[in-house]
Amino acid sequence: MQGSKASTLAHQGAAPSWVGRVPPAFIVIAAGMVAALHIGKMPPAIPVLRDALGVSLIEAGFLLSMVQMAGMLTGVFIGLAADGFGLRRSMLLGQLTLALASLAGAWATQPAELLVLRAVEGFGFLLVVLPVPSLIRQLVPPSRLALHLGLWGTYMATGTALVLAGGPALMSLAGWQGLWVTLGLVSLTVVAWLAWRVPSDRARRAVAAAAAPPAAVALPVRWWARLRDTLTSWGPWRVAITFSMYSSQWLAVIGFLPAIYAQAGLSGQVAGLLTAFVCLANVTGNVAAGRLLHRGVCARHLQYAGFVAMALTAFLAFSPLTVEAPIARYVAVVLFSAIGGLIPATLFALAVHVAPNEHTVSTTVGWMQQCSSTGQFLGPPLVAWVAGVAGGWHWTWVITGAASVVGLLLASRTRYQKA
């Protein structure tokens, strides 16, 4: 039945605007990538902001993680609201919030103002990305779900890579304010694209009801019941905490790479390109995970591979043993991101399956994002604090290694042969 509904939505549609060269499922994935641009704009801007606004290293850490404040405090509730409010409506509101906050940020003159607006951007980001797995589930047949969720797992790395590669060049022409304005305008464009090409919530429900037999049409589920079902199930907790163990170390390492390269004497453009390639490497892991899950590879084994690789490569990248081998360190960071990319795609696929029912997919993803955001909020400042105390980045691998160990323990409880 899920396959027939997805086929109807993807190919027949109730309005001609549903049909286009870009399928709706890919449009919502692209919208998530645009939302990730706003997350990724801070790392390449930190060296510029430190000069322009006098941002300290600790403030830089919070600028990297403040955007996660909304997810840390309200992720599950925003996911809950998206399930009830409407998936496409949530994405439209989120992109509009990102656009307005980014445009307002261009006028900031103090670090505190940017911190507040980064928190607002965090709300917009969640409104965009939390509904996507549930929306993809409605737009594609089950046989293609793992592949699409693997592609969705690349949204953060792709968006971050794009802004890391292009951000320094844009800032050299228009300053950091120009980058903020440009991304605000891009989000406004995505608002129009979503409204035009993605089927409305009402239309999708009508098509789904028409495709399902009368007895299969589900009645609305109250919000408190969805929240209770999600938070009293072990599956959502496991994937949520596992995601936090991945995302905290990934953002801590990737977020400070431009600053690390700048300290090494590299230009902002070169540092941005090097970091962008590291982010793009993460895409390969996500896509590979989607294909491997589609072929029946055990989700637990993919998590094992990702966390073990992240622990080993972080050691090679930051250990004093490789201080005289910069190329080896860079290769290690690339592998850290690439093989670690097996984890998010696997967890997004698992989240769809561990959700207690079809009404709690966005709520489950919201809880996963809430725990992930907590890790991302605490990870960069913790790594920055350790670097400040130690006088360098050589103890970073201890923090990331501890997160990998916890991730491995949680992954050992996975019992899904095919996500």
Short mmCIF file of all heavy atoms in Angstrom, two decimals, residues 329-374:
data_model
loop_
_atom_site.label_atom_id
_atom_site.label_comp_id
_atom_site.label_asym_id
_atom_site.label_seq_id
_atom_site.Cartn_x
_atom_site.Cartn_y
_atom_site.Cartn_z
N ARG A 329 48.05 13.61 7.80
CA ARG A 329 46.98 14.15 8.65
C ARG A 329 45.76 14.52 7.82
O ARG A 329 44.63 14.23 8.22
CB ARG A 329 47.50 15.38 9.40
CG ARG A 329 48.39 15.05 10.57
CD ARG A 329 48.69 16.28 11.41
NE ARG A 329 49.14 15.92 12.74
CZ ARG A 329 49.23 16.75 13.75
NH1 ARG A 329 48.89 18.03 13.58
NH2 ARG A 329 49.64 16.35 14.93
N TYR A 330 45.99 15.14 6.68
CA TYR A 330 44.86 15.54 5.85
C TYR A 330 44.12 14.32 5.30
O TYR A 330 42.89 14.28 5.29
CB TYR A 330 45.32 16.43 4.71
CG TYR A 330 44.17 16.94 3.86
CD1 TYR A 330 43.30 17.90 4.38
CD2 TYR A 330 43.94 16.45 2.58
CE1 TYR A 330 42.23 18.36 3.63
CE2 TYR A 330 42.88 16.90 1.83
CZ TYR A 330 42.03 17.86 2.35
OH TYR A 330 40.96 18.30 1.61
N VAL A 331 44.87 13.33 4.86
CA VAL A 331 44.23 12.10 4.37
C VAL A 331 43.41 11.46 5.49
O VAL A 331 42.30 10.96 5.25
CB VAL A 331 45.29 11.11 3.85
CG1 VAL A 331 44.67 9.74 3.56
CG2 VAL A 331 45.95 11.66 2.59
N ALA A 332 43.92 11.50 6.71
CA ALA A 332 43.19 10.94 7.84
C ALA A 332 41.88 11.67 8.08
O ALA A 332 40.84 11.05 8.36
CB ALA A 332 44.05 10.97 9.10
N VAL A 333 41.89 13.01 7.96
CA VAL A 333 40.66 13.79 8.14
C VAL A 333 39.66 13.47 7.04
O VAL A 333 38.45 13.36 7.29
CB VAL A 333 40.97 15.30 8.19
CG1 VAL A 333 39.68 16.10 8.20
CG2 VAL A 333 41.79 15.63 9.43
N VAL A 334 40.15 13.31 5.82
CA VAL A 334 39.26 12.94 4.71
C VAL A 334 38.60 11.58 4.98
O VAL A 334 37.38 11.42 4.80
CB VAL A 334 40.04 12.90 3.37
CG1 VAL A 334 39.16 12.31 2.26
CG2 VAL A 334 40.50 14.30 2.98
N LEU A 335 39.38 10.62 5.44
CA LEU A 335 38.82 9.30 5.76
C LEU A 335 37.88 9.37 6.96
O LEU A 335 36.88 8.65 7.02
CB LEU A 335 39.95 8.31 6.02
CG LEU A 335 40.83 7.97 4.81
CD1 LEU A 335 41.98 7.06 5.23
CD2 LEU A 335 40.00 7.31 3.70
N PHE A 336 38.21 10.22 7.93
CA PHE A 336 37.34 10.45 9.09
C PHE A 336 35.94 10.84 8.62
O PHE A 336 34.93 10.32 9.11
CB PHE A 336 37.95 11.56 9.94
CG PHE A 336 37.08 12.07 11.05
CD1 PHE A 336 37.13 11.50 12.31
CD2 PHE A 336 36.22 13.15 10.86
CE1 PHE A 336 36.34 11.97 13.36
CE2 PHE A 336 35.43 13.64 11.90
CZ PHE A 336 35.49 13.05 13.14
N SER A 337 35.88 11.74 7.66
CA SER A 337 34.59 12.21 7.16
C SER A 337 33.93 11.20 6.23
O SER A 337 32.72 10.97 6.31
CB SER A 337 34.79 13.54 6.43
OG SER A 337 33.55 14.06 5.97
N ALA A 338 34.73 10.57 5.35
CA ALA A 338 34.17 9.67 4.35
C ALA A 338 33.58 8.41 4.97
O ALA A 338 32.41 8.07 4.74
CB ALA A 338 35.25 9.30 3.33
N ILE A 339 34.37 7.71 5.78
CA ILE A 339 33.88 6.46 6.36
C ILE A 339 32.88 6.74 7.46
O ILE A 339 31.91 6.00 7.65
CB ILE A 339 35.05 5.61 6.88
CG1 ILE A 339 36.08 5.40 5.77
CG2 ILE A 339 34.55 4.25 7.39
CD1 ILE A 339 37.31 4.62 6.19
N GLY A 340 33.07 7.86 8.18
CA GLY A 340 32.07 8.26 9.17
C GLY A 340 30.72 8.53 8.54
O GLY A 340 29.69 8.40 9.20
N GLY A 341 30.70 8.88 7.25
CA GLY A 341 29.45 9.13 6.55
C GLY A 341 28.54 7.92 6.46
O GLY A 341 27.35 8.06 6.12
N LEU A 342 29.06 6.73 6.75
CA LEU A 342 28.19 5.56 6.80
C LEU A 342 27.16 5.67 7.91
O LEU A 342 26.08 5.07 7.82
CB LEU A 342 29.04 4.29 7.03
CG LEU A 342 30.01 3.87 5.93
CD1 LEU A 342 30.90 2.75 6.44
CD2 LEU A 342 29.26 3.44 4.68
N ILE A 343 27.47 6.44 8.95
CA ILE A 343 26.62 6.46 10.14
C ILE A 343 25.33 7.24 9.95
O ILE A 343 24.24 6.72 10.24
CB ILE A 343 27.42 7.01 11.34
CG1 ILE A 343 28.61 6.09 11.63
CG2 ILE A 343 26.53 7.13 12.58
CD1 ILE A 343 29.59 6.65 12.64
N PRO A 344 25.34 8.52 9.49
CA PRO A 344 24.08 9.26 9.44
C PRO A 344 23.05 8.65 8.51
O PRO A 344 21.86 8.60 8.85
CB PRO A 344 24.51 10.67 8.98
CG PRO A 344 25.84 10.49 8.36
CD PRO A 344 26.49 9.36 9.10
N ALA A 345 23.46 8.19 7.33
CA ALA A 345 22.49 7.58 6.42
C ALA A 345 21.88 6.34 7.03
O ALA A 345 20.67 6.10 6.90
CB ALA A 345 23.18 7.24 5.09
N THR A 346 22.69 5.55 7.72
CA THR A 346 22.17 4.36 8.38
C THR A 346 21.17 4.72 9.46
O THR A 346 20.11 4.09 9.60
CB THR A 346 23.33 3.55 8.99
OG1 THR A 346 24.24 3.17 7.95
CG2 THR A 346 22.82 2.29 9.68
N LEU A 347 21.47 5.76 10.24
CA LEU A 347 20.57 6.15 11.33
C LEU A 347 19.27 6.75 10.81
O LEU A 347 18.21 6.53 11.40
CB LEU A 347 21.29 7.12 12.26
CG LEU A 347 22.46 6.53 13.05
CD1 LEU A 347 23.15 7.59 13.88
CD2 LEU A 347 22.00 5.37 13.93
N PHE A 348 19.33 7.53 9.72
CA PHE A 348 18.09 8.05 9.15
C PHE A 348 17.20 6.91 8.66
O PHE A 348 15.97 6.94 8.84
CB PHE A 348 18.38 9.01 7.99
CG PHE A 348 18.70 10.40 8.43
CD1 PHE A 348 19.91 10.99 8.12
CD2 PHE A 348 17.77 11.14 9.15
CE1 PHE A 348 20.21 12.27 8.52
CE2 PHE A 348 18.06 12.43 9.57
CZ PHE A 348 19.28 13.00 9.25
N ALA A 349 17.82 5.90 8.05
CA ALA A 349 17.03 4.75 7.60
C ALA A 349 16.45 4.00 8.79
O ALA A 349 15.28 3.57 8.77
CB ALA A 349 17.91 3.82 6.76
N LEU A 350 17.24 3.84 9.85
CA LEU A 350 16.74 3.16 11.04
C LEU A 350 15.62 3.95 11.71
O LEU A 350 14.68 3.37 12.24
CB LEU A 350 17.89 2.95 12.04
CG LEU A 350 18.90 1.86 11.69
CD1 LEU A 350 20.06 1.88 12.68
CD2 LEU A 350 18.24 0.49 11.67
N ALA A 351 15.73 5.29 11.69
CA ALA A 351 14.71 6.11 12.35
C ALA A 351 13.33 5.86 11.76
O ALA A 351 12.33 5.84 12.49
CB ALA A 351 15.08 7.59 12.24
N VAL A 352 13.27 5.69 10.45
CA VAL A 352 11.98 5.42 9.80
C VAL A 352 11.41 4.10 10.29
O VAL A 352 10.20 3.95 10.45
CB VAL A 352 12.15 5.42 8.27
CG1 VAL A 352 10.88 4.96 7.58
CG2 VAL A 352 12.53 6.82 7.79
N HIS A 353 12.28 3.13 10.58
CA HIS A 353 11.82 1.80 10.98
C HIS A 353 11.55 1.69 12.48
O HIS A 353 10.69 0.90 12.89
CB HIS A 353 12.86 0.75 10.56
CG HIS A 353 12.88 0.51 9.09
ND1 HIS A 353 12.13 -0.47 8.47
CD2 HIS A 353 13.55 1.13 8.09
CE1 HIS A 353 12.34 -0.44 7.17
NE2 HIS A 353 13.21 0.51 6.91
N VAL A 354 12.30 2.44 13.29
CA VAL A 354 12.10 2.31 14.74
C VAL A 354 10.99 3.23 15.25
O VAL A 354 10.59 3.12 16.42
CB VAL A 354 13.39 2.60 15.52
CG1 VAL A 354 14.50 1.64 15.09
CG2 VAL A 354 13.83 4.05 15.36
N ALA A 355 10.50 4.15 14.40
CA ALA A 355 9.37 4.97 14.82
C ALA A 355 8.21 4.05 15.20
O ALA A 355 7.90 3.09 14.49
CB ALA A 355 8.94 5.91 13.69
N PRO A 356 7.56 4.31 16.33
CA PRO A 356 6.49 3.41 16.80
C PRO A 356 5.39 3.19 15.78
O PRO A 356 4.81 2.11 15.72
CB PRO A 356 5.97 4.12 18.05
CG PRO A 356 7.12 4.93 18.54
CD PRO A 356 7.85 5.38 17.31
N ASN A 357 5.07 4.22 14.98
CA ASN A 357 4.05 4.09 13.94
C ASN A 357 4.27 5.18 12.90
O ASN A 357 5.16 6.03 13.05
CB ASN A 357 2.63 4.14 14.53
CG ASN A 357 2.42 5.38 15.37
OD1 ASN A 357 2.45 6.50 14.86
ND2 ASN A 357 2.22 5.20 16.68
N GLU A 358 3.45 5.15 11.84
CA GLU A 358 3.65 6.10 10.75
C GLU A 358 3.37 7.55 11.16
O GLU A 358 3.79 8.48 10.47
CB GLU A 358 2.76 5.73 9.56
CG GLU A 358 1.26 5.80 9.85
CD GLU A 358 0.43 5.46 8.61
OE1 GLU A 358 0.92 5.71 7.50
OE2 GLU A 358 -0.68 4.95 8.78
N HIS A 359 2.67 7.75 12.25
CA HIS A 359 2.37 9.10 12.71
C HIS A 359 3.50 9.71 13.52
O HIS A 359 3.41 10.89 13.90
CB HIS A 359 1.09 9.10 13.58
CG HIS A 359 -0.11 8.54 12.88
ND1 HIS A 359 -0.77 9.21 11.88
CD2 HIS A 359 -0.76 7.35 13.04
CE1 HIS A 359 -1.78 8.47 11.46
NE2 HIS A 359 -1.80 7.34 12.14
N THR A 360 4.53 8.94 13.81
CA THR A 360 5.59 9.43 14.70
C THR A 360 6.96 9.48 14.03
O THR A 360 7.98 9.59 14.70
CB THR A 360 5.69 8.53 15.94
OG1 THR A 360 5.97 7.18 15.54
CG2 THR A 360 4.41 8.55 16.75
N VAL A 361 6.99 9.43 12.69
CA VAL A 361 8.29 9.45 12.01
C VAL A 361 9.01 10.78 12.24
O VAL A 361 10.17 10.82 12.65
CB VAL A 361 8.13 9.16 10.50
CG1 VAL A 361 9.48 9.30 9.80
CG2 VAL A 361 7.57 7.77 10.28
N SER A 362 8.32 11.89 11.98
CA SER A 362 8.95 13.20 12.20
C SER A 362 9.26 13.43 13.67
O SER A 362 10.26 14.06 14.02
CB SER A 362 8.05 14.33 11.68
OG SER A 362 7.96 14.28 10.28
N THR A 363 8.41 12.92 14.56
CA THR A 363 8.67 13.05 16.00
C THR A 363 9.92 12.27 16.37
O THR A 363 10.75 12.75 17.16
CB THR A 363 7.47 12.54 16.81
OG1 THR A 363 6.27 13.16 16.33
CG2 THR A 363 7.63 12.87 18.28
N THR A 364 10.07 11.07 15.82
CA THR A 364 11.27 10.28 16.08
C THR A 364 12.51 10.97 15.54
O THR A 364 13.54 11.04 16.21
CB THR A 364 11.12 8.88 15.45
OG1 THR A 364 10.02 8.21 16.05
CG2 THR A 364 12.39 8.06 15.65
N VAL A 365 12.42 11.49 14.31
CA VAL A 365 13.55 12.23 13.74
C VAL A 365 13.83 13.48 14.57
O VAL A 365 14.98 13.88 14.75
CB VAL A 365 13.27 12.59 12.27
CG1 VAL A 365 14.40 13.45 11.70
CG2 VAL A 365 13.13 11.32 11.44
N GLY A 366 12.78 14.11 15.09
CA GLY A 366 12.96 15.27 15.95
C GLY A 366 13.72 14.93 17.22
O GLY A 366 14.58 15.70 17.66
N TRP A 367 13.40 13.80 17.82
CA TRP A 367 14.12 13.38 19.02
C TRP A 367 15.57 13.05 18.68
O TRP A 367 16.50 13.37 19.45
CB TRP A 367 13.42 12.18 19.64
CG TRP A 367 14.03 11.70 20.92
CD1 TRP A 367 14.44 10.43 21.20
CD2 TRP A 367 14.29 12.46 22.10
NE1 TRP A 367 14.94 10.37 22.47
CE2 TRP A 367 14.87 11.60 23.05
CE3 TRP A 367 14.09 13.81 22.43
CZ2 TRP A 367 15.25 12.03 24.31
CZ3 TRP A 367 14.47 14.24 23.70
CH2 TRP A 367 15.04 13.36 24.62
N MET A 368 15.76 12.44 17.52
CA MET A 368 17.11 12.15 17.07
C MET A 368 17.89 13.45 16.86
O MET A 368 19.05 13.57 17.27
CB MET A 368 17.07 11.35 15.76
CG MET A 368 18.42 10.90 15.26
SD MET A 368 18.29 9.70 13.89
CE MET A 368 17.79 10.77 12.56
N GLN A 369 17.24 14.45 16.27
CA GLN A 369 17.88 15.74 16.05
C GLN A 369 18.14 16.45 17.37
O GLN A 369 19.14 17.16 17.51
CB GLN A 369 17.00 16.61 15.15
CG GLN A 369 17.66 17.92 14.74
CD GLN A 369 18.84 17.72 13.83
OE1 GLN A 369 18.77 16.95 12.87
NE2 GLN A 369 19.94 18.39 14.11
N GLN A 370 17.24 16.28 18.34
CA GLN A 370 17.42 16.94 19.63
C GLN A 370 18.67 16.42 20.34
O GLN A 370 19.49 17.19 20.85
CB GLN A 370 16.19 16.75 20.51
CG GLN A 370 16.28 17.49 21.85
CD GLN A 370 14.90 17.72 22.48
OE1 GLN A 370 13.89 17.57 21.82
NE2 GLN A 370 14.90 18.10 23.73
N CYS A 371 18.83 15.11 20.36
CA CYS A 371 20.03 14.54 20.97
C CYS A 371 21.28 14.88 20.15
O CYS A 371 22.34 15.18 20.70
CB CYS A 371 19.88 13.03 21.10
SG CYS A 371 18.63 12.52 22.30
N SER A 372 21.13 14.85 18.82
CA SER A 372 22.25 15.22 17.96
C SER A 372 22.67 16.67 18.21
O SER A 372 23.86 16.99 18.29
CB SER A 372 21.86 15.03 16.49
OG SER A 372 22.85 15.55 15.63
N SER A 373 21.69 17.55 18.32
CA SER A 373 21.99 18.96 18.54
C SER A 373 22.67 19.21 19.88
O SER A 373 23.52 20.08 20.01
CB SER A 373 20.70 19.79 18.46
OG SER A 373 20.14 19.72 17.16
N THR A 374 22.27 18.42 20.87
CA THR A 374 22.94 18.54 22.17
C THR A 374 24.42 18.21 22.04
O THR A 374 25.28 18.92 22.58
CB THR A 374 22.27 17.61 23.20
OG1 THR A 374 20.89 17.94 23.31
CG2 THR A 374 22.94 17.73 24.56
#
